[in-house]
Amino acid sequence: GNSVTQMEGPVTLSEEAFLTINCTYTATGYPSLFWYVQYPGEGLQLLLKATKADDKGSNKGFEATYRKETTSFHLEKGSVQVSDSAVYFCALSEAAGNKLTFGGGTRVLVKP
Amino acid sequence: GAGVSQTPSNKVTEKGKYVELRCDPISGHTALYWYRQSLGQGPEFLIYFQGTGAADDSGLPNDRFFAVRPEGSVSTLKIQRTERGDSAVYLCASSFKGERTQYFGPGTRLLVL
């Protein structure tokens, strides 16, 4: 079956530091890949997505590139802010109408 | 526009009781999903509706869990004879037909005492 593995947290950073959260996946077909973010006290929000190999998703300064050869979709941001403190989830979907399979989440804490 | 809404936001019940959780999807979204998120974990799939019918209910953990969507819009997740292990955040998501991107509601936090 499908699975998503992401690095365990918490990840603690200083403001303006570089952030990377690793995500690798296992899927039988050609999945779409997603990063969702959960800010404290809020629901899951779509951060970015990529639908095919070599696509790059980007939003709010975050980027992730769909790497089929390494089955990875690592999330990066060049300069984090305190407001980026949240839990980040990597997820995949193999088809429209197909369930999302999530990783376990990575908590990020950015200190001023 | 309005996003996915879920009610109640919090529900406390006693072991053995029956609960209903409601989800109102984004207008025009024909696909609706339920997930369960335990503390410190990622969401886990429960059931998927396309229109009024359950297209995939493979994630329902047992027959105490049931969901309906009688008019193809609002959905209700029903849990009978609740157990303490059912305590979690129940998330609802919706999407347009044919799209993979799902949009989530704020969730219902269920606590079974």
Side-chain angles (χ1 to χ4, degrees), chain A residues 30-32 34 36 38 44 46 49 89 93-100 102-103, chain B residues 33 35 37 40-43 45 48 58 91 98-106:
Chain A
Y30 299 92
S32 292
F34 304 84
Y36 282 85
Q38 194 168 37
L44 275 171
L46 177 66
K49 66 179 181 181
F89 292 93
S93 173
E94 283 215 75
N98 194 268
K99 64 183 180 182
L100 284 167
F102 285 87
Chain B
Y33 306 78
Y35 294 82
Q37 185 177 18
Q41 298 182 20
F45 170 77
Y48 154 58
S58 61
L91 298 170
E99 287 199 4
R100 299 190 187 190
T101 303
Q102 298 178 25
Y103 298 89
F104 284 80

Side-chain angles (χ1 to χ4, degrees), chain B residues 3-110:
Chain B
V4 178
S5 62
Q6 293 187 244
T7 55
S9 54
N10 291 281
K11 177 70 177 178
V12 180
T13 191
E14 294 179 344
K15 180 177 179 295
K17 299 290 189 182
Y18 168 84
V19 297
E20 290 189 349
L21 312 179
R22 175 188 167 107
C23 171
D24 200 340
I26 293 171
S27 178
H29 282 192
T30 57
L32 185 146
Y33 306 78
W34 284 99
Y35 294 82
R36 179 167 69 175
Q37 185 177 18
S38 299
L39 192 62
Q41 298 182 20
E44 294 180 326
F45 170 77
L46 295 176
I47 187 169
Y48 154 58
F49 287 89
Q50 181 58 256
T52 60
D56 181 357
D57 64 358
S58 61
L60 294 177
N62 51 61
D63 61 6
R64 295 186 297 105
F65 288 75
F66 189 71
V68 295
R69 195 185 185 200
E71 298 179 355
S73 180
V74 171
S75 176
T76 305
L77 179 65
K78 307 180 181 192
I79 310 174
Q80 299 177 321
R81 305 183 303 280
T82 51
E83 299 178 355
R84 294 193 179 88
D86 298 335
S87 297
V89 176
Y90 289 81
L91 298 170
C92 178
S94 69
S95 70
F96 284 113
K97 183 177 182 179
E99 287 199 4
R100 299 190 187 190
T101 303
Q102 298 178 25
Y103 298 89
F104 284 80
T108 293
R109 186 175 301 275
L110 175 66

Side-chain angles (χ1 to χ4, degrees), chain A residues 19-67:
Chain A
L19 171 67
T20 298
I21 304 176
N22 290 340
C23 171
T24 57
Y25 67 90
T26 302
T28 54
Y30 299 92
S32 292
L33 301 174
F34 304 84
W35 277 100
Y36 282 85
V37 59
Q38 194 168 37
Y39 297 104
E42 298 184 17
L44 275 171
Q45 299 178 23
L46 177 66
L47 181 59
L48 54 82
K49 66 179 181 181
T51 58
K52 61 183 187 297
D54 299 325
D55 269 2
K56 177 185 284 188
S58 61
N59 186 26
K60 299 183 179 181
F62 289 89
E63 294 183 340
T65 300
Y66 189 140
R67 301 288 188 199

